[in-house]
Amino acid sequence: MRIMTTIAFALSAVAAQGGLVRHGGVDAGAATYEADAGASADAARSWERVHRDDPADSLYKVAREALNRGEYRRAATLFRDVERKYPQSQYVADAMYFQAFALSRLGNERDLRTALDVLKDQQRRFPNAASNGDAGTLSVRIQGALARRGDPDAMKRVLEAADSGSGAGVGGGVASGTGSGRGRGGAGSGANCPSEDDDNDMRVAALMALMQMDSDRAIPILKQVLAKRDECSVALRRKAVFIVAQQESEESADILLGAARNDPDVEVRRQAVFWLSQVHSDKALTALDSILHQSSDEEVQEKAIFALANTNTDRGEATLRAYAQSNAPEELRAKAVFWLGQSSRRSPDNTAFLQSLFDKTTSEEIQNAIIQAMSETPGDEGARWMLGIVQNSKQPVEVRKKALFWAGQRHQMDINTLLALYPKLDDQELKEHFIFVLSERREAAATDKLIDIAKNDKDVEMRKKALFWLAQKNDPRAKQLLMEIINQ
């Protein structure tokens, strides 16, 4: 089916690690918190262990099930019961973490403060618990929630954590990843660097909370983070570009452009380009245009094409149209064509542009990309255009075959329109391809046509092709025809 479309939607869903694309007026910080919280509730943490011979095992499992169902008040009570009824259990440290997590999800001030008390108690009693890393990150998020409610002490701790990354989020009590059991080293970092899930998570949580409360304080710290060049800061810089993008401003565009052009880590550069599409400003569009035309990294340029398409602006589409007909590398121009096709539902101008470009270009790769893009256009115009290409004997056979394939993939196309095409085909290779395309259709009329070709076509090779594809169908009429031929 339409593999590229599927890939495109997948890319737009997971385009950048460590962040979510904003939609409308959703609070990006809250969205990230919700996403991480959901992950914590729905899946076992990497440090979580099963102790089947432990007397608290059954109660702990019931508490986890309640948490996974979103029954946070009940879950918090059950996890507290694990700690109180079985104080010697191997589950106690984890139960305290999940009790605090459940309380944080309830969200009122009393529960948030109770959650912080539980985390401080966990650190005091279990300083080497495997859950310490997540506990530190959770505590910073809770401090951020309290700070947004006007708590000056919480605001101070968020500032400390954002500025130093020391993990002082739980009243100064949680060690920065000590005993977390997560190992050292992470993507893009040296062997002696914390992993992406250690101290950096606490600092990212603090920076996100600070951005939501006081972006004027957060931006200078984020600039300092992105100015770092040591290998241990790579993971933090990758996450910082997402946080910067949450402030839709000219300054954010400048910071992201600087990262996209100058950061030594290719993933930081690519993510900076992607997040520029979420900063809705003229400067961001200018930056993307600049990256597209001036970058020497083709993957970064691909990200710029994707980002421009996802700005959903007339200027972004105009930039892609100009690029598609430029002298840029064909592969990149083909990607611009693809995304213009995806935008054609919003902008009919793109459909007319693609048809015009098809007539002007001599590149088969660009023509093929246009055909695929046109297959995505709504209504009948795209289908009629593709059928016209199929019947145009001046076009190369491979191009006509491509148009025939994508026309056949449009299942909203009336099968009779497709069937009427066969007698008009003037090339044997094209006729063979038509038979294959017909075999992909599920309508009874398509099978009827294959049977007719197998029985009556004047070209014996076409009859053989039709028989081959009929044999692949689980249709009684096809089986009957095959038996008739065998028994002749």
Side-chain angles (χ1 to χ4, degrees), residues 243-258:
I243 302 174
V244 169
Q246 305 318 302
Q247 185 189 51
E248 298 182 7
S249 69
E250 301 294 314
E251 186 176 20
S252 295
D254 285 337
I255 295 170
L256 292 173
L257 179 59

Side-chain angles (χ1 to χ4, degrees), residues 22 244-254 256 274-285 288 311:
R22 274 191 315 275
V244 169
Q246 305 318 302
Q247 185 189 51
E248 298 182 7
S249 69
E250 301 294 314
E251 186 176 20
S252 295
D254 285 337
L256 292 173
F274 170 80
W275 289 115
L276 271 168
S277 69
Q278 302 301 305
V279 179
H280 302 293
S281 73
D282 287 339
K283 182 167 283 190
L285 285 166
L288 288 170
T311 60

Side-chain angles (χ1 to χ4, degrees), residues 293-314:
H293 287 91
Q294 297 178 16
S295 175
S296 58
D297 185 332
E298 286 199 5
E299 291 197 41
V300 169
Q301 289 175 297
E302 287 182 24
K303 285 287 193 297
I305 291 169
F306 175 80
L308 282 163
N310 282 274
T311 60
N312 293 321
T313 62
D314 292 339

Side-chain angles (χ1 to χ4, degrees), residues 22 58 107 122 129 152 180 235 238 344 404 410:
R22 274 191 315 275
S58 296
Q122 184 212 34
S180 67
R238 291 178 183 177
S344 61
L404 178 57
R410 289 178 65 101

Side-chain angles (χ1 to χ4, degrees), residues 68-226:
N68 290 340
R69 290 194 298 268
E71 299 171 1
Y72 300 117
R73 179 67 67 191
R74 181 167 179 262
T77 300
L78 291 169
F79 283 122
R80 183 189 61 193
D81 288 346
V82 169
E83 183 257 333
R84 291 185 178 179
K85 292 180 180 180
Y86 304 97
Q88 304 305 315
S89 168
Q90 297 177 82
Y91 282 112
V92 170
D94 292 357
M96 294 179 76
Y97 167 79
F98 283 118
Q99 179 191 352
F101 174 83
L103 288 168
S104 73
R105 294 287 283 159
L106 290 169
N108 63 67
E109 186 171 343
R110 179 178 177 181
D111 287 323
L112 291 172
R113 295 192 182 283
T114 301
L116 283 180
D117 289 340
V118 172
L119 290 173
K120 283 190 287 187
D121 193 29
Q122 184 212 34
Q123 168 60 21
R124 179 183 61 80
R125 294 171 57 185
F126 305 98
N128 296 316
S131 56
N132 261 4
D134 280 354
T137 303
L138 175 61
S139 67
V140 172
R141 288 179 178 144
I142 294 172
Q143 294 282 13
L146 290 171
R148 284 194 292 273
R149 295 166 185 249
D151 186 316
D153 289 335
M155 180 65 165
K156 178 183 177 182
R157 295 198 180 282
V158 169
L159 280 167
E160 289 172 352
D163 197 32
S164 68
S166 64
V170 189
V174 169
S176 57
T178 304
S180 67
R182 294 183 180 189
R184 310 293 284 179
S189 63
N192 295 319
C193 299
S195 76
E196 291 198 36
D197 291 328
D198 280 338
D199 295 351
N200 287 341
D201 271 354
M202 285 184 279
R203 193 171 189 191
V204 167
L207 285 167
M208 179 62 77
L210 187 58
M211 178 65 85
Q212 297 302 308
M213 291 181 294
D214 190 345
S215 61
D216 289 341
R217 292 194 187 187
I219 287 294
I221 299 173
L222 287 162
K223 284 182 178 179
Q224 294 172 12
V225 169
L226 288 170

Side-chain angles (χ1 to χ4, degrees), residues 385-405:
W385 180 84
M386 285 187 290
L387 293 180
I389 297 298
V390 174
Q391 297 175 72
N392 186 349
S393 59
K394 295 181 181 180
Q395 294 292 342
V397 170
E398 288 302 317
V399 172
R400 296 169 70 189
K401 285 169 63 177
K402 184 77 71 172
L404 178 57
F405 173 79

Side-chain angles (χ1 to χ4, degrees), residues 335-374:
K335 286 181 169 57
V337 165
F338 172 80
W339 286 110
L340 285 169
Q342 295 296 306
S343 303
S344 61
R345 296 177 185 276
R346 190 186 73 84
S347 176
D349 289 346
N350 289 337
T351 301
F353 168 77
L354 292 173
Q355 292 177 4
S356 173
L357 180 60
F358 185 91
D359 294 332
K360 295 175 183 176
T361 185
T362 58
S363 165
E364 189 171 315
E365 183 173 0
I366 299 299
Q367 286 185 323
N368 288 340
I370 292 171
I371 290 169
Q372 185 177 350
M374 290 295 293

